[in-house]
Amino acid sequence: NAGVTQTPKFQVLKTGQSMTLQCAQDMNHEYMSWYRQDPGMGLRLIHYSVGAGITDQGEVPNGYNVSRSTTEDFPLRLLSAAPSQTSVYFCASTLDLAHLPLFGPGTRLTVT
Amino acid sequence: SQQGEEDPQALSIQEGENATMNCSYKTSINNLQWYRQNSGRGLVHLILIRSNEREKHSGRLRVTLDTSKKSSSLLITASRAADTASYFCASINTGANSKLTFGKGITLSVRP
């Protein structure tokens, strides 16, 4: 198993650009989620999915879109990047919420 | 708003001392988890305690859960310089829209 993979590891965007952060897992986990981590703020939930075709908003969903067309993939889209979206983004997956989630290595995004 | 709030925000102790970190949460939970994050690195899960458990041990870690007070504590005994890291509590709320949400974290410094 590759676990939870995230690409890219680093990205620099200009304000207004769009991009997709990729997250994939090969463990047949139903539950996947995206977090952003900012200094002094811990991790905040952006969007999550309890299975293919189902997504829901977390604490800080504005400016981000997600889709879950397959169990394996859960991409996070930034439609029009803003400097406030400069952050480290973590994807996580778990079989269900009774189990500990596995986190990906993170994507460090800078928006200038 | 974030589900978990850790206390203190920063803790500095001498090697060999015990470190106690507290976490309070707002809603009913299925389980509560503690994570560790070294500077610039990803999250590592330490321990999970379920809502029907009161205390759990893992090596030098001891976690307690008081659901009546909606609080948990993480005790690291005989601390080492290598325990220097940020520690986060995260909880999964009960109900239809269960989510894993994190506190802001505690920065622990262990002086050699």
Side-chain angles (χ1 to χ4, degrees), chain A residues 35 43 103, chain B residues 2-4 35 43 88-90 100-104:
Chain A
Y35 295 85
L43 279 88
F103 281 83
Chain B
Q2 287 177 268
Q3 164 79 312
Y35 289 81
L43 285 152
F88 297 90
C89 71
L100 176 66
T101 54
F102 283 79
K104 296 180 182 179

Side-chain angles (χ1 to χ4, degrees), chain A residues 12-109:
Chain A
V12 179
L13 290 177
K14 290 191 185 336
T15 297
Q17 285 185 315
S18 63
M19 80 157 293
T20 299
L21 308 186
Q22 301 290 346
C23 175
Q25 50 87 15
D26 60 356
M27 297 166 287
N28 209 31
H29 285 174
E30 291 292 331
Y31 189 100
M32 295 185 76
S33 50
W34 276 102
Y35 295 85
R36 60 177 286 174
Q37 185 176 29
D38 303 292
M41 295 295 290
L43 279 88
R44 291 181 291 170
L45 182 65
I46 306 171
H47 286 285
Y48 66 104
S49 167
V50 299
I54 307 168
T55 63
D56 205 348
Q57 297 181 343
E59 297 170 71
V60 288
N62 291 343
Y64 307 96
N65 274 2
V66 290
S67 59
R68 186 91 181 275
S69 52
T70 66
T71 300
E72 294 76 22
D73 300 294
F74 191 43
L76 178 73
R77 294 185 192 84
L78 282 71
L79 303 173
S80 178
S84 61
Q85 293 178 305
T86 293
S87 188
V88 181
Y89 291 84
F90 289 98
C91 176
S93 78
T94 184
L95 191 62
D96 57 52
L97 290 177
H99 293 80
L100 283 165
L102 254 178
F103 281 83
T107 295
R108 188 172 291 274
L109 176 69

Side-chain angles (χ1 to χ4, degrees), chain B residues 6-112:
Chain B
E6 293 98 339
D7 164 54
Q9 289 187 333
L11 183 61
S12 180
I13 59 174
Q14 200 71 37
E15 204 165 27
E17 292 179 337
N18 296 342
T20 299
M21 292 168 270
N22 302 304
C23 167
S24 59
Y25 56 91
K26 295 174 185 165
T27 63
S28 295
I29 61 170
N30 277 316
N31 63 63
L32 187 138
Q33 305 162 22
W34 283 91
Y35 289 81
R36 167 198 168 117
Q37 185 180 36
N38 287 73
S39 179
R41 307 293 291 274
L43 285 152
V44 174
H45 63 76
L46 295 175
I47 199 163
L48 179 153
I49 186 164
R50 294 191 163 80
S51 59
N52 61 352
E53 297 174 308
R54 291 297 165 257
E55 188 170 311
K56 212 160 174 182
H57 296 256
S58 176
R60 292 184 297 112
L61 304 180
R62 174 177 165 252
V63 169
T64 62
L65 180 65
D66 186 336
T67 52
S68 66
K69 294 181 181 175
K70 291 189 167 59
S71 67
S72 171
S73 67
L74 171 68
L75 169 69
I76 304 175
T77 59
S79 63
R80 305 167 182 166
D83 293 329
T84 294
S86 292
Y87 292 81
F88 297 90
C89 71
S91 59
I92 295 183
N93 59 297
T94 57
N97 295 321
S98 291
K99 300 184 278 286
L100 176 66
T101 54
F102 283 79
K104 296 180 182 179
I106 299 168
T107 302
L108 173 67
S109 300
V110 182
R111 303 185 300 275

